[in-house]
Amino acid sequence: MRRIDLSNFQVATSETARDINRRIVLNLIRTHQPISRADLARHSGLQRSTVSVIAEQLIKERWITEGANGHTPRGRRPTFLHLNKERVGIIGINVRPVTTTLALADLDANFLAQDSMATPQNPQEFLTEVVPRVRKLITARPGLTCEGIGRILPGRVDLNTKQLVFAPNLGWSDFDLKKPLEKATRLPVEVENAANSCALSEICFGRRAEGLSNLVIVTVSEGIGCGLILNHQLVQGATGTAGEFGHAALIHDGLECSCGNRGCWEMYASNTAAVRYYSQSGSTSRGRRAETVENTISFDHLLRLADQGDAKAVDALEQMAKYLGLGIAPLIAGLAPDMIVIVGEVTRAWNKVGPIIKETVRRHSFTRAETQIVPSDPITQPRLRGAIALVLLKHFGAPAVA
Ligand SMILES: [Zn+2]
């Protein structure tokens, strides 16, 4: 049951109702295209005349177009409506501690062009380097109108000030994420934590999670973040920092983390942790000494070695998987989600890590939650898609923010 927050509410005006109906229609066209006006009325429960007015407005604004005539057993042949993919472009920016990736996508969140760069040490340098790249992406498809930029970060964003308030792996803090980029590009900018964006993207565009009401995304990269959708709502908490389970202490008095805490989950289950397991195992793979490996190996390299059967690399992944399971078990016990989706390069080795994660969870689960644990498909580039989703959802309707 949805409750109305009586300390902070907005009375629905006819304009609000129009806006909501417009989002409903646009979203139905996105998910059912090509679709006739009659079917839109049937799916939405709106009057046929209301659907027609909204459709005309959307055609006028070039969000949708009319396509071929459909076939019905008798009577008039309806014209189908579909998204006008030729019209809108969206820029997505995925900032990670080492590399930043950028993409231009269409209305179906398909990537049209991509770029990447090394992530600079400070946010000012970042702005200087990223702006020309954004402009280049936009000019690559001059026919498209760019609707905005979605920017995701490995940290938490203050709900009011839009400042980055917690990003220990990036090392940036206290700067405005939104206005300087908006000023430099003259485009609206949406900013959000990577795990939250992936959660929104997954329930809106994911093949398996679409429409689920309780979903947890676990992004596994240099650190670990969680995005929570509970009762159809994205949970941000009072400060916007909800979901930082990566910095919950898993091991008492364990390894010191960059956040200042000890024994954080991500110190044991992130890509960085797996690389540490590998280098500390004293592998002399390919004749190299362990300390050399420690300085040079990347997580990608580790995955390749494991794929080739390198025992030390496989062992490092197995340790990582065990700790992933140990951290996921309390998430399931506490939140009982329908599904947990794991996002990150580690999913490329799902045949090795998936069974260990599931078995560890099983051994530490005492509730009756029947949560599915699934990997995201790395080919879909879920983080970049999450950045695109931030802008798309402004127009297509997002789960309410709790
Ligand atoms: Zn920490």
Side-chain angles (χ1 to χ4, degrees), residues 329 331-338 361 365-372:
L331 288 177
I332 293 176
L335 303 170
D338 300 302
V361 167
S365 294
F366 302 99
T367 61
R368 292 190 178 186
E370 290 184 2
T371 304
Q372 292 182 69

Side-chain angles (χ1 to χ4, degrees), residues 166 168 246-247 257-261 264 266-267:
F166 182 74
H247 294 282
C257 177
S258 54
C259 74
N261 190 13
C264 291
E266 70 172 42
M267 289 304 293

Side-chain angles (χ1 to χ4, degrees), residues 156-351:
R156 298 290 161 171
V157 179
D158 185 286
L159 291 175
N160 298 316
T161 63
K162 297 296 175 193
Q163 295 224 340
L164 192 62
V165 289
F166 182 74
N169 290 315
L170 192 60
W172 302 356
S173 62
D174 298 332
F175 69 97
D176 191 323
L177 295 155
K178 193 173 156 71
K179 286 200 202 88
L181 188 58
E182 284 185 333
K183 202 171 157 205
T185 59
R186 295 185 182 169
L187 288 169
V189 174
E190 303 297 319
V191 286
E192 186 48 276
N193 163 264
N196 284 353
S197 308
C198 288
L200 291 172
S201 170
E202 201 66 43
I203 51 164
C204 295
F205 310 113
R207 286 192 307 266
R208 287 170 301 207
E210 194 165 19
L212 288 185
S213 48
N214 295 286
L215 174 78
V216 175
I217 295 282
V218 180
T219 50
V220 185
S221 57
E222 293 79 3
I224 290 182
C226 293
L228 314 173
I229 304 273
L230 297 176
N231 294 338
H232 291 291
Q233 317 247 329
L234 176 70
V235 179
Q236 291 178 306
T239 52
T241 60
E244 281 299 334
F245 290 99
H247 294 282
L250 191 72
I251 306 290
H252 174 66
D253 212 18
L255 292 167
E256 193 175 348
C257 177
S258 54
C259 74
N261 190 13
R262 278 187 172 275
C264 291
W265 182 24
E266 70 172 42
M267 289 304 293
Y268 296 86
S270 62
N271 297 359
T272 319
V275 168
R276 191 182 68 243
Y277 297 139
Y278 180 82
S279 57
Q280 287 176 347
S281 70
S283 168
T284 50
S285 161
R286 296 169 187 220
R288 288 196 293 182
R289 290 186 306 142
E291 52 268 38
T292 315
V293 171
E294 185 173 5
N295 290 333
T296 56
I297 196 169
S298 65
F299 187 66
D300 265 344
H301 189 177
L302 176 66
L303 284 174
R304 278 198 303 277
L305 287 176
D307 198 38
Q308 291 158 13
D310 181 303
K312 299 283 166 71
V314 171
D315 189 55
L317 280 185
E318 287 178 356
Q319 283 200 64
M320 175 190 188
K322 187 185 76 179
Y323 281 109
L324 277 172
L326 269 180
I328 287 171
L331 288 177
I332 293 176
L335 303 170
D338 300 302
M339 184 180 277
I340 290 198
V341 181
I342 299 181
V343 174
E345 289 87 355
V346 70
T347 59
R348 298 209 309 254
W350 191 250
N351 60 342

